[in-house]
Amino acid sequence: MSNRMINILVPMISILLGLLVGAVVMLISDYNPITGYIALWNGIFGDSYAIGETIRQISPYILAGLAVAFAFRTGLFNIGVEGQLIVGWFAAAYVGMAFDLPKIIHLPFALIAAAAAGALWGLVPGILKATLKVHEVIVTIMMNYIALHVVNALIKTLSGGGFKLERIHQSASLRSEFLSNLTDYSTLHYGIFVALAMVVVMWFILEKTKTGFELKSVGYNDNAARYAGMSANKNIVLAMVISGAFAGLGGAMEALGTFGNMSSMGGFTGIGFDGIAVALLGANTPLGVIFGATLFGSLKYGANNMPNEAGIPVEIVSIIIALVIFFVACGYIIRVGLIRLRNKKEEK
């Protein structure tokens, strides 16, 4: 069994274990797991509308996964993707609402604003990590709450005491009449192509540039990188800024594509936190993130059909999704088990 085969088997086994334990939970709760998973399948692939909505759901998960994966590849744990996504959402919604420009200028402007806002939110923990050695996990967790409440305050101010910004102008929208008609009037938009383009951007930065080599080197061993003449502090800050930019674009998918505006939020979206599982499932690789995001986007949207078609309560659906995430997080244990199994076979 080669290392490549093990890399493929680990996420597959993680997903299967999550679904199997989820089936046990449904059985204990007196629900039919076969009916439940058929409902899940229909919620994802049941018709063209479901497929369109599933793909739409995948877009922000790809970008959140890229944000987490990029930080991981450079030796950092960016748990602040949620906050960076929220400020990116706000920046895109504000630029889309406040300006009235030709589409060829307005849409890129809104996307750049979202990426810049996310990058700025990643800059703070990056500087604190580089200069004062403050652990990025602590700072980014706090930055999530700051983002949530600051954005809510800005929405209230800009809306004159209301709870929602005005809708963005059509010139800043990612909505696609063609894609919507193709999928039975779903909210599928061009954001999926932006997300896939960012997958290529991450691959190019990490694998084809000097900067990417330095970022990975600092992540592997910052002392060795310093000895080789690299600026560890500069690369730590740069890694957090790029990671934040990916997350900010994830927010732009919601602002410019799915909703077309932004409302006050009572809590986190959860997309940024799920991005951690997406990155882990994808082994922190750009291509792997696509598969991880596809899984989580499909589960999140398809699970909405389980209460309607199979009568399974939302709480149990949430448990099933959490179980998949749990077993993905346990991927290291599964990997060790597969390696030991391989070694035993080789000894024989």
Side-chain angles (χ1 to χ4, degrees), residues 151-166 261-266:
V151 165
N152 280 345
L154 288 171
I155 291 172
K156 188 173 183 179
T157 301
L158 292 171
S159 62
F163 300 95
K164 183 186 294 186
L165 294 179
E166 295 179 16
N261 61 3
M262 187 176 193
S263 303
S264 294
M265 306 173 73

Side-chain angles (χ1 to χ4, degrees), residues 343-348:
N343 292 339
K344 284 182 179 179
K345 286 185 177 180
E346 289 177 354
E347 288 174 1
K348 290 179 180 180

Side-chain angles (χ1 to χ4, degrees), residues 140-210:
T140 50
I141 288 174
M142 295 299 101
M143 293 289 285
N144 285 334
Y145 290 95
I146 295 171
L148 177 65
H149 296 297
V150 166
V151 165
N152 280 345
L154 288 171
I155 291 172
K156 188 173 183 179
T157 301
L158 292 171
S159 62
F163 300 95
K164 183 186 294 186
L165 294 179
E166 295 179 16
R167 290 194 66 81
I168 63 171
H169 294 288
Q170 187 61 32
S171 55
S173 177
L174 284 167
R175 289 285 181 91
S176 166
E177 187 176 343
F178 169 73
L179 292 177
S180 179
N181 292 339
L182 191 65
T183 53
D184 197 20
Y185 305 104
S186 74
T187 55
L188 179 61
H189 52 77
Y190 288 125
I192 186 64
F193 300 112
V194 175
L196 293 174
M198 290 304 103
V199 171
V200 177
V201 169
M202 176 176 163
W203 168 82
F204 183 80
I205 290 173
L206 289 177
E207 305 300 335
K208 298 296 180 181
T209 66
K210 174 189 172 185

Side-chain angles (χ1 to χ4, degrees), residues 2 13 41 68 72 80 84 92 99 102-103 106 134 136 141 198-199 204 262 278 291 326 331 341 348:
S2 66
I13 293 172
W41 177 268
V68 177
F72 271 141
Q84 293 149 16
F99 299 90
K103 193 175 186 72
H106 201 180
V134 181
E136 70 276 7
I141 288 174
M198 290 304 103
V199 171
F204 183 80
M262 187 176 193
V278 169
F291 292 110
F326 172 78
L341 182 63
K348 290 179 180 180

Side-chain angles (χ1 to χ4, degrees), residues 93-339:
Y94 176 76
V95 169
M97 171 197 74
F99 299 90
D100 192 3
L101 302 166
K103 193 175 186 72
I104 196 171
I105 298 174
H106 201 180
L107 179 55
F109 182 24
L111 290 171
I112 291 170
L120 178 63
W121 223 250
L123 176 66
V124 175
I127 290 175
L128 291 174
K129 169 78 172 182
T131 58
L132 302 176
K133 307 303 178 188
V134 181
H135 203 289
E136 70 276 7
V137 170
I138 298 171
V139 181
T140 50
I141 288 174
M142 295 299 101
M143 293 289 285
N144 285 334
Y145 290 95
I146 295 171
L148 177 65
H149 296 297
V150 166
V151 165
N152 280 345
L154 288 171
I155 291 172
K156 188 173 183 179
T157 301
L158 292 171
S159 62
F163 300 95
K164 183 186 294 186
L165 294 179
E166 295 179 16
R167 290 194 66 81
I168 63 171
H169 294 288
Q170 187 61 32
S171 55
S173 177
L174 284 167
R175 289 285 181 91
S176 166
E177 187 176 343
F178 169 73
L179 292 177
S180 179
N181 292 339
L182 191 65
T183 53
D184 197 20
Y185 305 104
S186 74
T187 55
L188 179 61
H189 52 77
Y190 288 125
I192 186 64
F193 300 112
V194 175
L196 293 174
M198 290 304 103
V199 171
V200 177
V201 169
M202 176 176 163
W203 168 82
F204 183 80
I205 290 173
L206 289 177
E207 305 300 335
K208 298 296 180 181
T209 66
K210 174 189 172 185
T211 300
F213 177 78
E214 290 189 3
L215 289 169
K216 289 187 293 183
S217 298
V218 171
Y220 287 135
N221 191 321
D222 60 342
N223 292 322
R226 285 191 180 93
Y227 183 77
M230 301 175 190
S231 174
N233 290 347
K234 182 195 78 173
N235 283 294
I236 287 170
V237 174
L238 182 59
M240 287 300 297
V241 165
I242 295 174
S243 175
F246 284 133
L249 283 172
M253 300 300 98
E254 305 294 78
L256 308 179
T258 304
F259 297 101
N261 61 3
M262 187 176 193
S263 303
S264 294
M265 306 173 73
F268 295 122
T269 67
I271 296 172
F273 298 120
D274 287 342
I276 299 170
V278 169
L280 290 173
L281 186 61
N284 299 319
T285 63
L287 184 61
V289 164
I290 295 177
F291 292 110
T294 299
L295 170 69
F296 278 89
S298 300
L299 284 175
K300 283 289 184 178
Y301 183 76
N304 294 328
N305 190 50
M306 293 174 75
N308 299 329
E309 187 175 319
I312 297 173
V314 175
E315 291 79 6
I316 293 180
V317 173
S318 298
I319 290 171
I320 294 167
I321 294 174
L323 283 168
V324 174
I325 297 173
F326 172 78
F327 281 104
V328 167
C330 295
Y332 178 76
I333 299 173
I334 297 170
R335 182 182 299 276
V336 170
L338 289 173
I339 290 173

